[in-house]
């Protein structure tokens, strides 16, 4: 079945450093979504990418969808302590609408 | 801002006991999802409702788990009997678009119920 893999599992950075998490799917995705979960919190929707090669920005966050629509990345420029949390990518299963979440990348930012 | 409501927020139970979780989605959201999230992992869908109908329960352990959304609004997830391995966060989410829209719908998650089975 479809799998969505994320790397790295953990990332520790100093405040001000950049951060990138990568998401790879075993199958082509019609779209990909990114969610952020703060420690002790629940997932919160960040963005959705639909088009091949699409790039979207939200302030210091840059999201990319691969040309083959099998991979995606989230890049944070100049991390802040408020960026702490786990970032999940999620893609729909090929057979329908159910979202398959990746394992997440847990980001820690040292002040 | 409208939010998904869940209760209780925390539940401690002994194995073999029954537990129930409640979810009230954002008003007007036809699609409701129940997820289980084990610590350190991503959410895993247990069941998806479109209004009062189940559209996907392929990952629901039906021998012990049940879910209902009788009037197509709020929903209850039940576990009977609970097992040690059921300890996890149970998240409810809802979306406005029909759940079959190619997975493009934005899902809004509630705060979750953290279950500990002793």
């Amino acid at each position: 079945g479809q799998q969505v893999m994320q790397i790295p599992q953990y990332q520790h950075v100093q405040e001000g450093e950049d951060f990138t998490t990568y998401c790879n799917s075993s199958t082509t995705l019609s779209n990909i979504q990114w969610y952020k979960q703060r420690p002790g919190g629940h997932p919160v929707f960040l963005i959705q990418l639909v088009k091949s090669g699409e790039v979207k920005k939200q302030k210091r966050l840059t999201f990319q969808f691969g040309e083959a629509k099998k991979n995606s990345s989230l890049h944070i420029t100049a991390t802040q302590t408020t960026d702490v949390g786990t970032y999940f990518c999620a893609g729909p299963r090929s057979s329908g609408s159910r979202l398959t979440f990746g394992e997440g990348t847990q980001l820690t930012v040292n002040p | 801002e409208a939010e998904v409501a869940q209760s209780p927020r925390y539940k401690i139970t002994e194995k073999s006991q029954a537990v129930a979780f409640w979810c009230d989605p954002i008003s007007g959201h036809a699609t409701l999802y129940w997820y289980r999230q084990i610590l350190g992992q991503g959410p895993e869908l247990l069941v998806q409702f479109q209004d009062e109908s189940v559209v996907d329960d392929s990952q629901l352990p039906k021998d012990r788990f049940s879910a209902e959304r009788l009037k197509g609004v709020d929903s209850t997830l039940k576990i009977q009997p609970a097992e040690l391995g059921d300890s996890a966060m149970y998240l409810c989410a809802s979306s406005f678009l029909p759940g079959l829209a190619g997975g493009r719908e934005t899902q809004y998650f509630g705060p979750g119920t953290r279950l500990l089975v002793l």
Side-chain angles (χ1 to χ4, degrees):
Chain A
Q2 177 193 316
Q3 288 187 332
V4 178
M5 311 296 289
Q6 270 187 267
I7 55 170
Q9 188 174 2
Y10 303 96
Q11 185 75 59
H12 306 277
V13 299
Q14 287 294 128
E15 190 172 19
E17 291 181 341
D18 292 355
F19 158 77
T20 304
T21 175
Y22 300 91
C23 181
N24 295 289
S25 170
S26 56
T27 59
T28 301
L29 300 169
S30 60
N31 67 86
I32 194 158
Q33 300 182 19
W34 284 92
Y35 291 78
K36 177 184 178 181
Q37 186 171 20
R38 294 182 185 275
H42 57 276
V44 175
F45 174 81
L46 292 176
I47 208 162
Q48 177 176 242
L49 304 171
V50 178
K51 299 177 182 177
S52 169
E54 188 170 14
V55 178
K56 286 188 176 180
K57 292 189 176 183
Q58 289 181 349
K59 297 182 179 178
R60 294 177 296 103
L61 277 62
T62 301
F63 303 85
Q64 290 188 314
F65 201 9
E67 293 291 340
K69 302 183 77 173
K70 285 189 173 182
N71 57 75
S72 181
S73 65
L74 159 58
H75 179 82
I76 302 178
T77 303
T79 55
Q80 300 175 359
T81 54
T82 53
D83 296 325
V84 165
T86 301
Y87 293 84
F88 293 98
C89 62
R93 286 178 63 87
S94 56
S95 58
S97 66
R98 173 149 55 101
L99 282 181
T100 299
F101 281 79
E103 295 293 299
T105 295
Q106 185 176 325
L107 173 64
T108 305
V109 180
N110 298 319
Chain B
E1 181 176 306
E3 296 180 338
V4 176
Q6 286 189 250
S7 67
R9 293 293 304 278
Y10 304 91
K11 179 70 178 178
I12 300 175
T13 190
E14 294 184 343
K15 63 180 181 179
S16 80
Q17 295 297 305
V19 292
F21 313 130
W22 177 80
C23 171
D24 191 13
I26 293 173
S27 178
H29 281 197
T31 310
L32 184 147
Y33 314 81
W34 281 104
Y35 288 89
R36 175 171 59 189
Q37 185 176 26
I38 296 171
L39 192 64
Q41 298 183 17
E44 175 191 20
L45 182 72
L46 293 175
V47 62
Q48 177 179 332
F49 288 91
Q50 183 68 34
D51 298 312
E52 67 275 8
S53 301
V54 173
V55 296
D56 189 343
D57 63 356
S58 57
Q59 300 299 308
L60 187 71
K62 299 180 186 62
D63 57 333
R64 297 185 300 108
F65 286 64
S66 64
E68 60 183 19
R69 193 184 184 198
L70 295 177
K71 296 184 179 179
V73 181
D74 59 336
S75 174
T76 302
L77 178 70
K78 297 179 181 178
I79 309 175
Q80 182 175 17
E83 296 181 352
L84 297 178
D86 296 331
S87 295
M89 172 80 88
Y90 290 83
L91 292 161
C92 178
S94 69
S95 65
F96 176 71
L97 290 177
L100 298 179
R104 296 189 179 193
E105 66 278 13
T106 298
Q107 298 188 19
Y108 298 86
F109 285 82
T113 296
R114 191 172 297 278
L115 172 67
L116 178 60
V117 181
L118 302 175

